[in-house]
Amino acid sequence: NCGRDNFPIFFRKAKMPIGNYTVDGPQAQPRKKSDFVDARDWQVGMEMTMLTNYRFFIYDADEFTREYFKEELGTDLGERVDVQLPERAVPRAKTPPYTGYGSWDDSMSSVTHLIPKPPQKDVKKLFQHSGKVLRFKARFVNPKPEDEDRVFVVAYYMQDDCLSIYEPPQRNLGVVTGRFLEKGVHMNQ
């Protein structure tokens, strides 16, 4: 952060002429001090036209400005005018569905950035829950007759929110046991 706003400057720091804004050449007569805008004439609630056709409404001032006007110029700026700006709805493109390739964070990175960045890992969570695995036994909810005896071990790895499902070997099951769902971050679909 360089401390500057990242949008273009509306008017650079300079003396602003009153009325029509014209660029004079070097041979033009210099303007008098009264031909330029003077902030000491401003008040809260005042509307002014600058740079030919831009209209501005002064609705508030910061504390330093109010103190300066009160102590140095002996005038009160007036009360703050409550200005309600209309809420702008920012249009946002619909997020495309997850394709299943890579992790969900990788896919979202390619949606939100022109040059995808690798997802950030939660290092604190990695150290705090390193090696902690929650294991549960599970069965199908409505199994087919041939799947009634199948038992699964659902493992949840707390360090990186990965999930894997493993089917322990059983005799005479008739199904190849082993890895049912590979370890990874899976969407609840």
Side-chain angles (χ1 to χ4, degrees):
N1 184 358
C2 64
R4 298 185 184 272
D5 292 329
N6 58 357
F7 50 83
I9 296 173
F10 183 74
F11 184 80
R12 293 192 185 278
K13 181 179 176 182
K15 291 183 178 181
M16 184 180 294
I18 296 174
N20 290 340
Y21 183 75
T22 58
V23 179
D24 296 330
Q27 300 296 322
Q29 291 292 324
R31 295 185 179 172
K32 293 179 248 162
K33 192 173 184 180
S34 61
D35 291 342
F36 292 100
V37 172
D38 189 4
R40 291 176 285 208
D41 298 332
W42 295 354
Q43 289 291 320
V44 172
M46 175 181 166
E47 187 175 302
M48 59 188 157
T49 304
M50 291 189 277
L51 300 175
T52 306
N53 59 352
Y54 291 103
R55 293 174 49 199
F56 293 94
F57 177 72
I58 300 175
Y59 65 92
D60 198 7
D62 63 356
E63 286 302 315
F64 174 78
T65 306
R66 288 184 180 277
E67 288 295 320
Y68 179 80
F69 267 73
K70 188 179 282 183
E71 293 175 7
E72 299 293 327
L73 304 177
T75 59
D76 188 35
L77 282 178
E79 290 295 316
R80 178 183 191 277
V81 178
D82 189 26
V83 177
Q84 294 292 330
L85 298 175
E87 293 264 340
R88 289 192 306 158
V90 179
R92 186 176 183 275
K94 186 178 175 187
T95 304
Y98 175 57
T99 60
Y101 294 108
S103 70
W104 185 82
D105 291 331
D106 285 336
S107 296
M108 284 309 298
S109 178
S110 67
V111 169
T112 57
H113 297 91
L114 189 59
I115 300 171
K117 300 176 184 174
Q120 297 291 320
K121 292 186 178 181
D122 189 354
V123 179
K124 182 178 177 185
K125 189 175 186 180
L126 274 169
F127 285 119
Q128 189 175 8
H129 298 295
S130 179
K132 294 182 183 176
V133 181
L134 305 176
R135 291 183 183 87
F136 304 93
K137 279 192 171 182
R139 292 178 174 258
F140 285 125
V141 176
N142 295 319
K144 296 177 184 172
E146 60 269 15
D147 293 333
E148 286 181 358
D149 295 332
R150 293 178 77 179
V151 177
F152 300 95
V153 176
V154 179
Y156 179 77
Y157 300 86
M158 294 179 67
Q159 65 188 9
D160 54 0
D161 295 328
C162 285
L163 178 82
S164 69
I165 301 176
Y166 175 77
E167 186 174 8
Q170 296 179 30
R171 293 177 58 95
N172 297 327
L173 189 60
V175 177
V176 177
T177 59
R179 187 184 320 154
F180 185 78
L181 181 69
E182 190 174 326
K183 179 183 175 185
V185 179
H186 298 282
M187 299 290 291
N188 187 12
Q189 298 177 354

